[in-house]
Amino acid sequence: MALDRREFFTLAAGGVAASGWLSHLMAQTVTPMQLKAIAFDAFTIFDPRPISGLAETLFPGKGTELSNAWRTRQFEYQWLRALSGRYADFWQTTEDGLVFAARLLQLELTPEKRARLMQAYLGLKTWPDAPSALRRLKESGVRLAFLSNMTAKMLEAGIKNAGLEGVFEQVLSADQIRTHKPDPRAYQMAIDALKLKREAILFAAFAGWDAAGAKWFGYPTFWVNRLNLPGEELGVTPDAAGRDLTELVGFVKAPR
């Protein structure tokens, strides 16, 4: 049975509420014919959980705490450097964040452990739902692109690991212009590369702050809230949210 737009969102919101999820829906009207392409943040597709698992293996009982502190500094360093004009790429800010987090927790980060944790970023594979969802989107004629703070080397490694060669029309790293999202110049990259108006590009965010940044920029935005986090208090909400890329496909294909 086909669902119209209102029924789709009602059912989606009901499912979210039943699971304790927070979902922000329909912040603005998105016409299906407007959406010609989707720009994905890397972590909507690449699964970082094995990195946390490795951290726990290397630091038993401290892996989760290390991963949380590391992730926080990883992105804070990107934003601080972009704002101050002291740019460093995703790889360096990730390594710097790891060193700080280990010192914060008074963990001995040997050169071997440091190298293993960093190399894990070059071994990422996809979330289980990603390959089939991407295939369905591509078969439907939607143009696909990455728009990430990750370096090009990291993105290409993930694409190769996942067997996604040829799936993405554009692989855009903010490193190309020496900044990081949520700098508006980073979001502009998809418009310039795809030669489309911003309302024709749906941005798929992994992090709440990235969903907010994309909405501030003016993109229709879908938050792939895989970590079941509350919405950010930034005065803006994405057009829709879901647990995975299967729900994103449902949003894109739902009759309006």
Side-chain angles (χ1 to χ4, degrees), residues 156-225:
E156 294 294 350
I159 289 170
K160 183 177 180 180
N161 295 338
L164 296 177
E165 294 93 337
V167 172
F168 296 92
E169 180 179 327
Q170 298 287 339
V171 179
L172 305 172
S173 167
D175 182 48
Q176 296 169 239
I177 57 171
R178 296 179 64 79
T179 192
H180 296 288
K181 295 179 293 176
D183 186 333
R185 293 176 296 161
Y187 295 114
Q188 179 68 33
M189 293 179 72
I191 294 173
D192 295 341
L194 295 168
K195 308 299 182 187
L196 293 171
K197 295 180 179 180
R198 73 183 64 199
E199 59 267 23
I201 303 171
L202 179 69
F203 185 78
F206 175 76
W209 62 262
D210 203 10
K215 280 299 296 180
W216 283 331
F217 181 75
Y219 279 139
T221 303
F222 188 98
W223 183 18
V224 186
N225 188 357

Side-chain angles (χ1 to χ4, degrees), residues 48-158:
R49 291 177 296 179
I51 300 174
S52 297
L54 177 59
E56 182 62 30
T57 297
L58 297 177
F59 300 100
K62 290 289 186 178
T64 298
E65 194 175 1
L66 175 64
S67 296
N68 290 339
W70 181 11
R71 183 170 55 251
T72 297
R73 279 300 188 276
Q74 177 185 41
F75 288 98
E76 286 181 348
Y77 284 173
Q78 290 173 39
W79 303 328
L80 289 169
R81 283 183 169 277
L83 284 169
S84 64
R86 304 286 181 176
Y87 177 76
D89 68 20
F90 190 100
W91 185 266
Q92 182 178 332
T93 54
T94 296
E95 188 163 20
D96 291 345
L98 172 60
V99 172
F100 174 86
R103 288 204 338 256
L104 177 69
L105 300 175
Q106 299 181 338
L107 299 175
E108 183 182 1
L109 184 67
T110 65
E112 180 198 9
K113 291 179 178 179
R114 179 170 169 171
R116 287 184 64 185
L117 286 165
M118 288 300 300
Q119 284 299 121
Y121 269 94
L122 298 179
L124 295 178
K125 294 182 172 60
T126 65
W127 296 89
D129 57 275
S132 61
L134 293 171
R135 183 172 60 253
R136 289 176 63 193
L137 290 168
K138 193 170 180 66
E139 288 173 351
S140 71
V142 177
R143 299 166 66 187
L144 307 180
F146 269 118
L147 179 53
S148 173
N149 285 349
M150 278 188 172
T151 65
K153 178 181 178 180
M154 298 168 80
L155 291 170
E156 294 294 350

Side-chain angles (χ1 to χ4, degrees), residues 224-241:
V224 186
N225 188 357
R226 294 185 180 276
L227 302 183
N228 194 23
L229 296 173
E232 299 289 349
E233 292 298 323
L234 291 170
V236 67
T237 58
D239 296 280

